[in-house]
Every structure is written in structure tokens, then in C-alpha cells.
Amino acid sequence: MQLRKYTSSMVTAALCTIAASSARRVAVSAFTSPSSARRVCRPLTSTNPNCINTCQPSTSLSVRPSSSSSSSSWASSLFSTTEEVDPGVVEGTDLRVLKYPHPALRAPNAEITEEELTGPGSEISRIAKEMFLVMYATNGAGLAAPQVGINKRLMVYNESGDSKRWMQEVIMVNPKIVEFSSATDIEQEGCLSFPEMGGDVQRSKWIKVEAQNLKGKKIKKKFTGWEARIFQHEYDHLDGVVYVDRLSEEGRKEVQGRLDELVEEFGEGGAL
């Protein structure tokens, strides 16, 4: 899946919100922007981020922007006219974003071996570079290898979504989440593998992760806010989990019609 920030249809309301209180981010992964108004939901008694369907309708929503973002930078992304797109052929790569219910989105993803990282040609390095090409071509902020038909535990992202800010690019090999915060928030997500739809997803506000870089060196990090959400969304793909699995019962009903359309468009052999 891929992650992105998207434009809001409630510009005036957003300005009022920014002026009156703290700004909030709206997130979407190889996220897409639904045209309908957001459904607001709150956590149920259980706050375990690994549980599916752990939110329900409510009249209010409390979410905060990541500590690394300001109200002005969030407003800038809010008013951007950039939308995630299906770029078709991307120069420099044969990789393409797969759409639900392609079986690769549900297939097991293998650990990347030391030989794949350090061997001649560094195959994983090439794949990661091409994944960034696809990610930027879709106006996305993150991408997991299964989304391009490579069932390996590999993800890439750039929280800015801007190819010119290449210093913010992150490549994670064999990542795993070792600790979740009990505190959660809810933001709207979508996915390029699920075009023209989206829904509210509950995630941990911070996570601690372990992974490897392209040289096989071990990495330990703590992510918060927007970056934590990107990571969790992409990490789900490595476990064969897609964002619609985490929608509430009501949220699932809202997108079921579109899911049925995608299944029909794909034809036989899909993995639901």
C-alpha cells in the first residue's frame, strides 16, 4: 500500500479549527481521498492497535498533529491540489501498483536475506529505488513491496511526499514493531490499491521499531504522529493486512459497494 496526505473538502471549517484549537492532519496511505464527508469515530473500550474494528461512530474526534509539523505546514498540505494518481507506466521501472483483490496483497512476505542486501548488484537496493519512483509518480508518501508484487519485507516512505526532499527518504528492511503506545488516535486513510475510497482507522500515537538498512545494519527507532501512522500502514501490508481490515463495521459498510466493484473489475483469482 502507499500512503499520502490528501486535500479536505471542508476548507473553511479547517481554517476555523486551526484558529480555534490545534490543527490536525488527515492521512491516507498508497491513502486516497474519498469525496464524501469524513465519518467521525472514537475508540471502543479496547485500545489495542492490533485489534480489527476498534472504532465506532461518535459526535467528536480528538486527534493531534505530529510533533514535527506545525499548523502552517499542515494547512499547506490541506490546501494542496495534488491528488494521488494512477501513473500507469513509470519511467525507469516496470513496477506497478497492484489493486485489490490482487493475491500479492494477501500473500506471505519473506524476510530479506543478508545475501540479498550485500550480494552482487544489491537487488534490494534497486527495488527500493524503483519503489520510490512509483511512489512519487502516484503523489504518495509511502509504499510497501507487496503493493508492487514483490512479497518481501521491505517498505519505503518519505513523510513529505516530495521527491526534492530526498534526504527524508526512509528504507526499512525486515521491519518489526516491538512496542505500541496504548494511546491512539483516529484519522482517515485510503490506499492506492483501493482507489476512490477511504475510511477512519485507529492507530497508536507512537511506536518503537527495529529494522535493517540496505547495508544490513540494525536500526532502532521511535516514531510519533504522522510518521508513526505511515509506518503502521505500510507495516500492515507486510503482514497481509490492508486498511479496510481495520475499519469499523459502519466504515466497512460505507465502502463495501466500492470493494465489490474492485472485485468485479479484477475477475477470478482475487484474494479477499
Side-chain angles (χ1 to χ4, degrees):
M1 168 205 105
Q2 190 180 358
L3 190 62
R4 73 172 177 85
K5 289 176 276 188
Y6 64 85
T7 56
S8 169
S9 62
M10 301 299 290
V11 171
T12 303
L15 285 173
C16 293
T17 301
I18 293 170
S21 60
S22 61
R24 67 179 295 271
R25 279 190 175 184
V26 182
V28 188
S29 144
F31 283 169
T32 60
S33 172
S35 58
S36 59
R38 299 185 66 251
R39 179 181 58 81
V40 179
C41 58
R42 61 183 173 82
L44 295 175
T45 303
S46 170
T47 58
N48 182 350
N50 291 311
C51 291
I52 305 299
N53 296 336
T54 53
C55 62
Q56 67 180 16
S58 177
T59 56
S60 64
L61 175 66
S62 177
V63 289
R64 294 179 292 184
S66 67
S67 59
S68 63
S69 65
S70 64
S71 296
S72 60
S73 65
W74 176 78
S76 176
S77 69
L78 173 68
F79 300 130
S80 170
T81 58
T82 301
E83 292 289 338
E84 233 172 36
V85 298
D86 184 346
V89 176
V90 177
E91 185 178 355
T93 179
D94 291 328
L95 299 180
R96 304 287 182 272
V97 175
L98 305 179
K99 293 182 176 59
Y100 178 85
H102 195 287
L105 297 174
R106 295 297 196 182
N109 293 288
E111 291 271 329
I112 294 170
T113 66
E114 188 75 16
E115 176 65 22
E116 289 176 290
L117 290 175
T118 61
S122 188
E123 181 72 4
I124 297 302
S125 179
R126 178 190 63 78
I127 292 171
K129 183 181 296 185
E130 292 188 20
M131 286 173 63
F132 274 119
L133 291 177
V134 174
M135 187 192 82
Y136 291 132
T138 63
N139 297 330
L143 190 66
Q147 282 188 277
V148 291
I150 298 173
N151 289 113
K152 299 282 188 179
R153 299 190 72 82
L154 173 69
M155 68 165 74
V156 304
Y157 67 87
N158 179 337
E159 63 175 320
S160 74
D162 186 351
S163 61
K164 295 179 181 178
R165 299 182 181 180
W166 55 269
M167 290 293 290
Q168 296 184 31
E169 292 180 352
V170 176
I171 300 171
M172 290 284 186
V173 177
N174 298 330
K176 58 182 177 181
I177 300 177
V178 296
E179 187 176 350
F180 293 88
S181 69
S182 58
T184 62
D185 60 17
I186 298 169
E187 297 193 31
Q188 190 162 95
E189 296 185 9
C191 182
L192 198 67
S193 295
F194 294 80
E196 301 175 28
M197 55 183 286
D200 290 314
V201 179
Q202 179 174 304
R203 303 273 188 196
S204 288
K205 290 187 176 182
W206 61 258
I207 54 173
K208 292 182 180 181
V209 309
E210 295 179 359
Q212 294 171 273
N213 63 17
L214 287 176
K215 295 182 179 180
K217 182 179 178 181
K218 292 184 179 180
I219 303 168
K220 291 184 178 181
K221 295 240 180 189
K222 179 179 180 179
F223 296 126
T224 62
W226 168 242
E227 192 168 8
R229 181 167 288 270
I230 294 176
F231 188 99
Q232 290 172 83
H233 184 115
E234 303 306 333
Y235 183 79
D236 268 355
H237 276 292
L238 303 186
D239 286 339
V241 176
V242 291
Y243 90 98
V244 294
D245 298 335
R246 296 192 178 276
L247 298 179
S248 67
E249 183 177 352
E250 178 186 344
R252 181 70 179 221
K253 288 179 180 178
E254 290 178 358
V255 300
Q256 190 59 55
R258 179 56 182 149
L259 287 174
D260 292 341
E261 289 177 356
L262 291 173
V263 171
E264 183 176 354
E265 290 170 8
F266 185 84
E268 296 182 0
L272 307 183

